Amino acid sequence: MNTSTIKDLEDDEYIVARIAGMKTTNGRRHYLVEWDGYDISENTWEYEKNVNCKESIEDFVKAYAALYQLRQEDILPLTKKILLNETYDPDTRSFHPLPPKDTKSKIPFNNTTNQVSGEVTTSLRKRLREDNELCPDTSKMVKSTQVGVTQLTITSARKYKSIEEIAQKVMAEADKNNSYPIEKVRQIIKKGKKNVIQVYQIMNVKAEITIVNEYDNTLPDNFIYIDELKYTLDVPAPDPNFLSGCVCSKGKCTSCHDSSAYNRAGKLICSPSQAINECNQHCDCGPACNNRVVQKGRKIPLQIFRTRNRGWGIRSPVAISSGTFVEEYVGEVITADEADERGRIYDQIGCSYLFDMDYAQSELPIRYSIDSYMTGNASRFFNHSCSPNLKVMTVFIDSSDNQMHRIAFFASRDIRKNEELCFDYNGSTKGDVSQVILTCPTRYPCKCNAYRCRKWIYSA
C-alpha cells in the first residue's frame, strides 16, 4: 500500500487486509474483515452492502472453491459459516483454527488489568446497545484475500437460543406488581408545528422522570422500571453483618473509610481511580452524614427522549453542576457466566445493557454483572459520547465484598439544561473505572458527533 493511497482515505475509511470469512444471519450475508494495521483480534463482521469491493469477494470465493474443489457459483448461496485459516472470529471470541490445548492459556484475550500511574484501574464492561448505533460503516477495500480457508462447525451447547428465552426467564422472576406505571400527564404543542407531543411520566419515583418522543408515538418497550438492584436466584444479596462502621461525630464524617469522596455539599471530589466507600447502617454518623450520597438516590429530574439517530437518550430539564450524583446503574445482578450467555444473544441483536462488577478484577475474577435489558432505571438509556459529561464510579454501600459493588454516574463537568447525558463506553478519563480493557474485537461506528470523535466504539 503506497503512501499516496493512505493519504487519500477519509477519516471514516479503513484499509482492509483481507476478507476472512462469510456467514448468513437472519437472511443477511456478512463478511469477516481483517483490518490493515490492526491486530486480528479486531476483526469485525460487516454487512455485505457495506463491503464495497467486488474483487476481494471474488478472490474469497475462488479461494474457497479451489480448496474444496467446488464450483464458484455454489459458494455465495451457502448459509453456513466458513472462515479462513489463521484468523479470529469475534462471534466465538476465539482463533480459527483453535491452538493446541496446551497453548490455550496463552491466548491474549482474557480480561487483564490496566495500570495507570502506578494505580490499578479496572475494566467496566458496557456492551453496546441500540441497533441503529451498531450498523457497520462503509469501508474501503484495498487488498484481495489470501488463500487458505476451512469450514467452522460450532457444536457447544448454549443456555439460550433466542432473546425470547431470556425474556421468559426475567419475567418469571420479576415482580408481578407494577410499582412504577407509565401515565400520560400532559401534551406539548410547539409553535409553528402541527404535531402534538405527548408527555408521559413514570409514577411513584423519588425524582421526576418524564418520557417524550417528537418523532413517533412509541414508548420504550419490553422494559420494567425498578429503583434498586434486583438480586437473581443465583446471586445472594450482600450480608450487612460483614460491614464495619465508623465512629465519627454525628453528621461530620471527613476521612473515615480510607478517604473522603464528597465535599460538604455532597459533590464528588475523590480521584476517579479510587472507589467510593459510603457510610453504612453500622456507622455512628447518622443519615445526615455528607458521606451518604448514592444511597439516598437520585435527586435531579430526568427525561427519556427519542433522539434523531441514536435511539432513546437521557437529558435533564435542569442544569447539573460538576460532581453531582446523577443516577445509579440498576438492573438484575447476575453471575458472570449468565452474563456471557446473555451477552452472546444480545450481540446477535445488537442490543445489550451489561455492566460488569469488576473493581477487583486485578486480583479476583469477575463474579457478577448488572443487566438492565428488561429491568432497570433511567440509566439504561445513557448513550455513548467520545466527549462525555458523565463519569462512572465504583461505590460500596452495603457490601464488604470487592466483587459486589454499586455503579454510579456523576457529572464530570457543568451540564447545561436539556443537554444529553452521556458517558464514554470505552473510558476516556485517565484512571476512570469505566476504562475498558479491549478484550473483544467488535467495533461499531460512533455517532456522537463530538468535536474529537474517535469514529469507533469498541465492545468489550
Side-chain angles (χ1 to χ4, degrees):
M1 187 67 190
N2 58 51
T3 305
S4 61
T5 306
I6 295 176
K7 290 182 177 180
D8 291 338
L9 293 175
E10 300 293 336
D11 290 340
D12 61 349
E13 293 181 329
Y14 294 80
I15 303 172
V16 172
R18 67 169 179 171
I19 296 176
M22 183 181 75
K23 69 176 182 178
T24 300
T25 304
N26 296 326
R28 295 167 53 143
R29 182 182 293 116
H30 295 73
Y31 293 101
L32 181 62
V33 177
E34 293 181 357
W35 302 97
D36 188 76
Y38 291 84
D39 188 83
I40 62 171
S41 66
E42 297 186 5
N43 293 356
T44 59
W45 285 102
E46 303 289 346
Y47 182 37
E48 64 176 338
K49 289 186 178 179
N50 295 323
V51 182
N52 298 323
C53 186
K54 185 177 179 180
E55 292 181 359
S56 292
I57 296 174
E58 290 176 349
D59 288 343
F60 174 81
V61 170
K62 291 177 182 178
Y64 184 84
L67 186 63
Y68 287 95
Q69 298 182 352
L70 301 173
R71 297 185 305 171
Q72 295 183 24
E73 55 266 33
D74 294 335
I75 307 305
L76 290 180
L78 294 175
T79 58
K80 61 187 177 183
K81 181 186 289 186
I82 55 175
L83 296 176
L84 295 169
N85 283 329
E86 300 179 353
T87 191
Y88 181 88
D89 182 10
D91 285 349
T92 59
R93 301 185 182 185
S94 63
F95 291 104
H96 182 75
L98 290 174
K101 290 184 178 180
D102 60 351
T103 63
K104 281 187 178 180
S105 60
K106 299 180 181 179
I107 298 177
F109 296 108
N110 294 323
N111 286 344
T112 56
T113 302
N114 186 28
Q115 300 288 338
V116 180
S117 301
E119 296 184 62
V120 176
T121 301
T122 58
S123 150
L124 188 60
R125 180 181 63 193
K126 178 66 175 70
R127 302 196 187 191
L128 302 182
R129 58 185 177 81
E130 295 296 352
D131 184 63
N132 50 19
E133 281 196 1
L134 305 187
C135 297
D137 200 0
T138 302
S139 303
K140 180 172 287 187
M141 303 294 171
V142 298
K143 187 175 181 179
S144 60
T145 57
Q146 300 172 359
V147 179
V149 62
T150 186
Q151 180 179 343
L152 173 67
T153 302
I154 300 176
T155 58
S156 58
R158 296 295 187 180
K159 184 174 183 180
Y160 301 110
K161 295 182 180 179
S162 67
I163 191 66
E164 288 76 18
E165 292 184 6
I166 297 177
Q168 289 175 3
K169 177 178 175 60
V170 174
M171 293 304 296
E173 299 182 12
D175 184 2
K176 299 302 186 294
N177 299 318
N178 186 5
S179 303
Y180 304 95
I182 298 176
E183 298 181 5
K184 185 167 65 175
V185 291
R186 59 184 181 274
Q187 60 185 24
I188 301 173
I189 302 177
K190 288 193 173 183
K191 186 177 180 180
K193 294 187 177 181
K194 296 181 179 180
N195 61 314
V196 177
I197 302 172
Q198 307 295 337
V199 180
Y200 295 84
Q201 185 171 327
I202 299 177
M203 310 305 292
N204 303 326
V205 295
K206 295 179 180 178
E208 183 182 76
I209 300 178
T210 54
I211 306 173
V212 296
N213 186 346
E214 299 183 26
Y215 295 93
D216 52 53
N217 295 321
T218 61
L219 293 172
D221 56 359
N222 299 321
F223 170 60
I224 301 173
Y225 186 92
I226 57 176
D227 66 349
E228 60 184 9
L229 292 174
K230 180 182 181 298
Y231 297 92
T232 54
L233 298 178
D234 297 331
V235 180
D239 188 347
N241 292 322
F242 289 96
L243 294 173
S244 60
C246 69
V247 290
C248 299
S249 301
K250 195 170 185 178
K252 294 184 179 180
C253 289
T254 55
S255 59
C256 61
H257 298 291
D258 299 328
S259 63
S260 179
Y262 310 109
N263 61 19
R264 292 183 178 180
K267 301 298 176 62
L268 184 71
I269 59 173
C270 70
S271 168
S273 63
Q274 69 185 75
I276 299 172
N277 290 277
E278 292 197 353
C279 290
N280 58 63
Q281 63 189 61
H282 294 304
C283 294
D284 293 339
C285 53
C289 173
N290 62 344
N291 193 36
R292 300 177 184 266
V293 175
V294 175
Q295 62 190 267
K296 291 182 179 180
R298 175 179 54 87
K299 297 184 181 301
I300 60 172
L302 296 176
Q303 184 172 86
I304 303 169
F305 72 104
R306 189 72 177 179
T307 67
R308 182 178 61 84
N309 65 346
R310 301 204 297 164
W312 295 96
I314 292 287
R315 61 193 176 195
S316 177
V318 300
I320 305 173
S321 58
S322 179
T324 299
F325 167 59
V326 177
E327 184 61 287
E328 178 184 354
Y329 197 80
V330 166
E332 294 179 280
V333 182
I334 60 178
T335 64
D337 289 341
E338 176 75 7
D340 288 339
E341 290 292 336
R342 294 189 184 189
R344 183 181 61 84
I345 299 297
Y346 294 157
D347 290 344
Q348 291 177 8
I349 64 174
C351 182
S352 182
Y353 301 80
L354 290 169
F355 253 128
D356 283 345
M357 293 182 179
D358 57 3
Y359 173 72
Q361 102 168 358
S362 63
E363 301 175 354
L364 299 168
I366 298 171
R367 293 177 61 189
Y368 307 112
S369 295
I370 302 175
D371 184 6
S372 66
Y373 175 66
M374 290 195 64
T375 59
N377 62 8
S379 65
R380 76 189 290 275
F381 298 106
F382 286 145
N383 280 320
H384 162 82
S385 175
C386 296
S387 181
N389 49 26
L390 298 178
K391 64 175 65 176
V392 190
M393 300 293 293
T394 290
V395 185
F396 289 93
I397 300 173
D398 53 359
S399 171
S400 60
D401 182 357
N402 281 347
Q403 295 171 290
M404 174 74 72
H405 56 78
R406 309 285 189 94
I407 298 169
F409 297 91
F410 290 81
S412 58
R413 58 171 173 79
D414 291 339
I415 303 173
R416 302 185 305 275
K417 171 183 176 180
N418 289 328
E419 179 183 348
E420 184 176 2
L421 304 177
C422 301
F423 72 101
D424 191 335
Y425 286 6
N426 300 150
S428 62
T429 302
K430 186 176 182 180
D432 195 323
V433 71
S434 63
Q435 182 73 30
V436 171
I437 313 303
L438 296 179
T439 58
C440 175
T442 309
R443 63 182 180 182
Y444 306 96
C446 179
K447 298 182 179 180
C448 73
N449 293 321
Y451 174 68
R452 293 184 177 179
C453 177
R454 295 189 299 267
K455 308 298 183 184
W456 292 99
I457 307 173
Y458 289 84
S459 176

